[in-house]
Structures are given as C-alpha cells and as structure tokens.
C-alpha cells in the first residue's frame, strides 16, 4: 500500500483510482487508529458530487432549479464512493437517472465505530435538508454492507432529535433498487427484506417483511 498512499509514487497521483481504493482499505482496517492520532490519511466523512467533495450548504447555489428528489448512495466496509461503478456502469448514477433524482455519494472512514459514523451522517442529512433551496420532497438512500448499519444509526439519531416525526418507507422504490442491483447476476437469488422497528428502548425485528419477487 505504501506507494499508493504517497502523494505521487509509481505514477499514481493523489486522486488516482488506485490510491483512492487503497486509502479506503487502509481506513477500513485501521481508520480509528489513524483518526485518533490525527493522521492525514484518515478520511473525513463528506458528501460527494461528480467525484468531488461537496458540502450540503453548496445546495443553495442550485437555486430555484434544484431538483426535489435526491439519491444518496452509501458504500460499505473498506470501500469508497467510486466503487458503485461495476463493469463500466455506475449503478448509482443509472438509478438516479431512472428516478429523476440528483445523485450524491457519501465517502467516510469505515474504520470508525458505526455509532460515530451514524452520528456524523445524521448531522450531514439534517444540513442537507435545511440547506436545500426548494422543498426536498424525497430523499432516497441506497446503502451497501456496513453502509446499512451506519444509515440505521443515523436514522436513530435523527429520530431521537425529532421525536414528533416518524419516517415512512417507500417499499416500491426499495424493491425497484433491489431488482436493478440483482439484474447484473445471471441467476438472481431470492431477495427478502427485514425491517427493524425501533420505538424508544423497544426493538422489533420483522423477518421477511417483504421481498423483491
């Protein structure tokens, strides 16, 4: 990993795909250690647009023409935001196009504790909604692997701050996203969805709440 993690070594620049992936792996393995020591290789959580860091407050520049639907993709352990592209197809961008949504990515240090990442994500989501220049009517989030756990922690944090609001899940859109992902497989396996319902200290796990058949 050493040549890839330097600013420029072996032909790999600081923003090269190779270095980006190597940095994601390093953070997944020892990101908590890097962050605790203030190491420059520790990744900070940030939203991304067009493969560039993007702050929620930047949404104001979109003005009245801002879309009312945003798709946010969240990667998994030891991964990065560019890895939604498989075999030349960016599945996040393709889904956003089908939904008519503006696509944002999340990049984060997967070596940090899930609760820490969840708290950071909750703040980012609240800033996004607060900064959007037009009413944001829909926020679709597609998460992979550890990203699902980070998202769950973020939703719990948001719920704790806004006890008067209960979110609604659009099952049709979740099924649509699952079918789109499974299309790349020669023989798509059965796909079921469990639901974790949280009410204060009570947690209910609803196995097989719905499926993508």
């Amino acid at each position: 990993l050493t040549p890839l993690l330097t600013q420029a070594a072996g032909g790999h620049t600081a923003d090269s795909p190779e270095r980006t992936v190597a940095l994601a792996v390093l953070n997944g393995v020892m990101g908590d250690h890097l962050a605790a020591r203030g190491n420059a290789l520790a990744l900070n959580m940030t939203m991304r647009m067009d493969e560039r860091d993007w702050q929620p407050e930047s949404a104001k520049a979109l003005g009245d023409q801002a879309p009312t639907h945003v798709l946010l993709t969240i990667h998994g352990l030891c991964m990065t935001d560019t890895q939604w592209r498989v075999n030349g197809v960016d599945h996040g961008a393709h889904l956003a196009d089908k939904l008519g949504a503006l696509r944002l990515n999340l990049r984060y240090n997967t070596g940090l504790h899930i609760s820490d990442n969840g708290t950071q994500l909750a703040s980012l989501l609240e800033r996004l909604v607060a900064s959007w220049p037009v009413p944001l009517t829909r926020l679709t989030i597609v998460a992979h692997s550890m990203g699902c756990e980070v998202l769950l922690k973020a939703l719990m944090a948001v719920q704790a701050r806004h006890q008067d609001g209960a979110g609604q899940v659009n099952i049709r859109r979740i099924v649509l996203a699952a079918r789109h992902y499974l299309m790349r497989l020669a023989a798509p396996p059965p796909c079921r969805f469990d639901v974790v319902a949280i009410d204060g200290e009570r947690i209910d796990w609803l196995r097989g709440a719905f499926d993508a058949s």
Side-chain angles (χ1 to χ4, degrees), residues 94-144:
H94 182 71
L95 181 59
D97 182 64
K98 291 295 184 182
L99 296 176
L102 183 144
R103 193 273 187 89
L104 294 174
N105 269 317
L106 186 75
R107 176 181 289 184
Y108 65 103
N109 180 346
T110 60
L112 295 181
H113 196 280
I114 290 172
S115 61
D116 293 332
N117 277 323
T119 299
Q120 292 182 48
L121 176 57
S123 296
L124 274 179
L125 292 176
E126 290 181 324
R127 287 168 54 196
L128 178 69
V129 174
S131 301
W132 210 252
V134 298
L136 188 59
T137 60
R138 180 165 293 154
L139 175 61
T140 300
I141 303 177
V142 177
H144 173 67

Side-chain angles (χ1 to χ4, degrees), residues 26-37:
L26 179 68
N27 274 258
V29 173
M30 54 185 302
D32 53 347
H33 175 86
L34 296 173
R37 286 158 178 74

Side-chain angles (χ1 to χ4, degrees), residues 43-82:
L43 292 172
N44 294 316
M45 180 177 288
T46 181
M47 288 184 173
R48 307 262 295 170
M49 180 188 290
D50 298 327
E51 299 188 6
R52 295 178 180 273
D53 289 354
W54 187 87
Q55 297 299 321
E57 290 73 22
S58 300
K60 296 176 181 178
L62 298 173
D64 295 339
Q65 301 304 312
T68 59
H69 186 184
V70 169
L71 169 69
L72 176 66
T73 48
I74 305 175
H75 61 76
L77 177 65
C78 290
M79 300 180 72
T80 188
D81 57 291
T82 59

